[in-house]
Amino acid sequence: MKRTILILSAVLTTLTIFMMTTKVNAQKTDLKIVSLTETQVYLDEFKKLVEVPKDYLFHSVSKVKADNVPAYLFRFEKQENKGFGGEYFSFLISENKQILGFTNMDKKYSDTKMLSKAETEKIAKEFLLKMDKSLADDLKNLWIERHDEEILVNGQKTVLAGMKYKCYRSSQKDYAWVIVGFDGSVMTFERSIKWNTIAQKRITEKWLHDSWLAKKIRVQLEEEILKNIVKKTFVNGALNELNTEAMRQGFHPDFAILIAKDEKLNRLFLNEWINVVEQYKSSEEQVNSGVRNLEYMIKVLEITGKTAVVKTDFFRNKEIVITDYLSFIKFPDGWKAVGKISHEHIPNPLNLKF
């Protein structure tokens, strides 16, 4: 009974996550470290309008897709109090050299003295006209209020504050804002921000925010781990290299393939599946047939907490033959596949005898 409940829960997880999934690998926003040499022109373009604080040193530049817009994310850090959560200066610039935003998370802004709304408005308007006159002319100010951010200074949580000048652009149905520090310097500028007014939640990705970026990097790391598990324990375990020992590493002992036949739901458990692969492996005729030598492509990989679903298409001679859905749960010792359902695009593509 315990095994049955686990398998059915895995299937429900697969179906629920898949129905909610809209992102496939090709659409995911990736981050790739590139060299300063090949992106110097973008740094030079940024410096024409904004000065990078002198006490910040170049740290990295990454090629990203910010809401599907090809862009470069530059990061500068101090020699001390650096790293995620510390002090940093970052900016985002598109491939067509439009500055999408920048932020200066410097501890000097922990000074709680705020400018007046009138002073903030004057500075923000002048700044926006300098950055992009067409944008400035198209914006309507909504409000001016204090805005707080939090960083770590010597391991201690420190609140940074500035006056936020938030605007709406009706022609694009998006937002832009400028945050002005106590000394009149601009802490943050962001543009083309989409907002879900019902949920009161930002839609646009937060490339300038360390908390969001750190989480994204962790998610991408988990995705790479899952891709490697699929390749090693499934693609080259049950198929291609026929490595049944690898199968035991990537699949939970209570894993089962669910097979619908008429009104019945049959289960092929892990040990039974491994036996099928071993029998194939021991038959020279079957091995020479190459029926288990397939190319593959991961079409969906979606993680929600400690659950995940992976949709994989398998091809023979460039023709799709199987689509598999694997459900994963992250256990204390790592990700394990707990259930699988399949769609066969051609009859019995693996020539199974049962």
Side-chain angles (χ1 to χ4, degrees):
M1 175 63 78
K2 182 178 178 181
R3 173 179 284 185
T4 301
I5 292 172
L6 175 64
I7 299 304
L8 291 177
S9 298
V11 175
L12 287 173
T13 300
T14 299
L15 295 175
T16 302
I17 297 175
F18 180 69
M19 286 188 290
M20 296 175 65
T21 297
T22 57
K23 295 180 181 179
V24 297
N25 280 0
Q27 296 173 320
K28 281 186 178 290
T29 306
D30 292 322
L31 182 151
K32 178 183 179 183
I33 300 294
V34 293
S35 72
L36 178 59
T37 303
E38 63 184 292
T39 55
Q40 183 67 48
V41 61
Y42 295 97
L43 177 56
D44 294 342
E45 189 69 22
F46 179 79
K47 286 183 174 180
K48 289 179 183 178
L49 295 172
V50 183
E51 181 180 352
V52 177
K54 291 182 173 58
D55 50 347
Y56 283 84
L57 304 176
F58 173 77
H59 176 269
S60 62
V61 54
S62 304
K63 188 171 185 179
V64 303
K65 276 195 174 180
D67 296 287
N68 290 322
V69 175
Y72 293 96
L73 176 66
F74 285 77
R75 184 182 181 92
F76 298 78
E77 295 183 354
K78 291 183 175 181
Q79 288 184 309
E80 297 179 353
N81 201 44
K82 54 189 177 180
F84 277 114
E87 295 177 85
Y88 67 97
F89 180 95
S90 287
F91 71 87
L92 189 65
I93 184 169
S94 69
E95 278 193 344
N96 64 7
K97 299 180 182 177
Q98 182 182 78
I99 297 172
L100 301 176
F102 72 86
T103 192
N104 184 7
M105 293 289 101
D106 193 289
K107 67 181 179 182
K108 73 174 184 177
Y109 294 117
S110 61
D111 190 317
T112 55
K113 179 184 176 182
M114 295 290 102
L115 296 180
S116 68
K117 291 185 179 183
E119 290 173 311
T120 300
E121 181 176 21
K122 181 177 182 296
I123 293 169
K125 281 184 173 180
E126 290 175 354
F127 172 81
L128 288 167
L129 284 169
K130 181 183 77 169
M131 291 296 292
D132 187 336
K133 186 178 184 302
S134 63
L135 172 67
D137 291 341
D138 204 15
L139 292 175
K140 179 182 178 181
N141 179 240
L142 299 177
W143 48 258
I144 305 171
E145 298 291 346
R146 172 175 166 147
H147 177 84
D148 292 353
E149 294 285 351
E150 191 177 86
I151 64 169
L152 294 175
V153 177
N154 299 322
Q156 299 296 315
K157 291 183 179 180
T158 303
V159 174
L160 309 183
M163 292 295 283
K164 186 172 185 176
Y165 181 82
K166 184 173 181 178
C167 302
Y168 181 65
R169 181 167 58 161
S170 59
S171 63
Q172 300 297 319
K173 296 182 179 179
D174 61 13
Y175 297 82
W177 49 72
V178 178
I179 301 175
V180 184
F182 72 98
D183 58 356
S185 62
V186 174
M187 292 175 60
T188 300
F189 161 65
E190 292 190 86
R191 64 179 295 166
S192 305
I193 305 299
K194 297 291 186 180
W195 191 266
N196 184 329
T197 53
I198 297 175
Q200 285 296 298
K201 183 178 179 182
R202 174 172 169 158
I203 299 171
T204 304
E205 295 168 334
K206 300 180 179 180
W207 287 100
L208 300 176
H209 299 254
D210 264 12
S211 57
W212 181 88
L213 195 56
K215 181 179 179 182
K216 180 171 186 59
I217 290 173
R218 287 196 297 271
V219 169
Q220 288 192 343
L221 178 61
E222 294 287 1
E223 288 174 351
E224 289 304 313
I225 290 171
L226 278 168
K227 287 177 186 177
N228 288 333
I229 290 174
V230 170
K231 180 179 180 180
K232 179 181 177 182
T233 68
F234 182 31
V235 175
N236 290 330
L239 304 166
N240 294 330
E241 296 178 8
L242 308 174
N243 186 345
T244 52
E245 283 304 310
M247 291 176 69
R248 295 188 185 281
Q249 297 171 19
F251 294 86
H252 191 275
D254 289 324
F255 167 92
I257 300 173
L258 302 185
I259 306 167
K261 187 172 183 181
D262 299 323
E263 297 297 320
K264 293 183 179 181
L265 189 60
N266 299 316
R267 294 169 179 78
L268 182 70
F269 291 102
L270 179 61
N271 285 334
E272 297 168 325
W273 189 23
I274 288 175
N275 287 338
V276 170
V277 177
E278 289 289 358
Q279 289 174 16
Y280 174 90
K281 196 175 175 179
S282 64
S283 170
E284 183 177 353
E285 180 183 354
Q286 290 193 66
V287 171
N288 290 337
S289 74
V291 72
R292 285 182 173 264
N293 295 335
L294 302 175
E295 296 179 344
Y296 77 104
M297 180 180 295
I298 294 176
K299 302 294 288 185
V300 171
L301 193 162
E302 193 75 11
I303 299 172
T304 304
K306 293 185 177 182
T307 62
V309 63
V310 180
K311 173 187 175 183
T312 308
D313 285 343
F314 289 94
F315 303 85
R316 182 184 295 127
N317 299 322
K318 298 183 178 180
E319 177 187 1
I320 187 168
V321 293
I322 306 170
T323 296
D324 274 315
Y325 296 87
L326 277 173
S327 293
F328 286 87
I329 293 177
K330 190 173 185 181
F331 293 90
D333 61 342
W335 290 100
K336 301 288 183 182
V338 294
K340 183 171 84 75
I341 56 176
S342 303
H343 173 74
E344 298 179 348
H345 295 268
I346 62 173
N348 198 10
L350 299 180
N351 293 335
L352 298 175
K353 304 300 182 183
F354 58 88

